[in-house]
Amino acid sequence: MKCPYCNNSDTKVIDSRPVEDGLAIRRRRECEKCKKRFTTFEKIENSLLVVVKNDGRRESFDRNKLINGLLKACEKTKITYEDVEKIAERIERALNNTMEKEIESKMIGALIMDELRNLDQVAYVRFASVYHKFTDVNTFVQEVNRLQEKDRVRPEERNEEK
Ligand SMILES: [Zn+2]
């Protein structure tokens, strides 16, 4: 980072603090040469993230795509657009926090599942059915069974049906 006063390239960081909920960093720097101080603002660039799809193809991470996928899953549920944006933000932050430049699409799917599981069962199952179509059918069946188990009537009631 060059000094804006004397153009010297040796500057040292004297303070750095996360801003915008950890999505950006503000740094206070001092020029080694003229000793003047200045502030820099570093923001995470989304295009740094590359998503590796199941077939091995790579594409840059696209937040809108994530939001659209979420909206589709959350259609006609109690989940609002605002919720969806928040989920997308959390997922993006989690991805950035991994410090990996390449993210497997599987991992994004798993993060979405975690978010939806706690929020809305309909959206969760809907997303899971689309998501697992491209990964693993068995896992999806297990998940649905697990959900049904939770809703299932108590054992003594079931016995009466026999
Ligand atoms: Zn300077």
Side-chain angles (χ1 to χ4, degrees):
M1 192 70 67
K2 276 189 176 172
C3 169
Y5 304 102
C6 71
N7 228 19
N8 172 40
S9 54
D10 293 319
T11 56
K12 68 173 180 199
V13 177
I14 50 178
D15 182 41
S16 61
R17 62 187 61 177
V19 284
E20 286 185 15
D21 217 0
L23 286 173
I25 289 181
R26 194 185 291 282
R27 289 211 163 97
R28 195 80 183 131
R29 290 171 187 268
E30 190 184 271
C31 173
E32 306 266 75
K33 204 170 146 196
C34 72
K35 302 290 176 197
K36 283 203 169 98
R37 291 181 175 189
F38 58 99
T39 303
T40 56
F41 187 74
E42 290 164 37
K43 205 170 156 82
I44 290 155
E45 211 179 337
N46 298 335
S47 58
L48 283 177
L49 281 176
V50 172
V51 179
V52 183
K53 308 220 284 191
N54 292 322
D55 60 9
R57 280 185 299 142
R58 285 161 166 76
E59 60 181 33
S60 54
F61 175 78
D62 183 350
R63 184 200 275 223
N64 289 332
K65 218 170 178 181
L66 173 61
I67 289 178
N68 283 337
L70 283 166
L71 284 176
K72 217 169 275 175
C74 299
E75 237 167 52
K76 290 178 185 136
T77 65
K78 60 179 165 58
I79 301 173
T80 63
Y81 185 77
E82 213 170 51
D83 292 331
V84 165
E85 273 188 319
K86 273 183 200 146
I87 293 172
E89 207 169 280
R90 274 201 295 273
I91 289 173
E92 199 175 339
R93 197 177 314 147
L95 296 177
N96 280 316
N97 284 345
T98 64
M99 300 295 274
E100 301 279 349
K101 280 192 177 153
E102 293 196 336
I103 307 279
E104 286 187 41
S105 60
K106 264 189 291 197
M107 186 191 168
I108 301 177
L111 288 171
I112 295 176
M113 303 267 280
D114 281 345
E115 289 279 349
L116 294 182
R117 186 184 285 129
N118 301 321
L119 207 59
D120 189 285
Q121 270 196 15
V122 174
Y124 171 67
V125 171
R126 209 182 279 155
F127 178 80
S129 69
V130 175
Y131 168 62
H132 282 295
K133 205 183 282 170
F134 305 106
T135 54
D136 181 2
V137 177
N138 289 330
T139 321
F140 172 54
V141 173
Q142 280 167 17
E143 282 291 344
V144 172
N145 285 344
R146 206 181 54 80
L147 280 177
Q148 283 171 343
E149 207 121 305
K150 258 176 32 187
D151 295 337
R152 199 171 281 166
V153 288
R154 278 164 292 169
E156 60 267 28
E157 287 173 30
R158 267 193 296 148
N159 288 338
E160 280 171 18
E161 287 171 14
K162 281 186 186 162

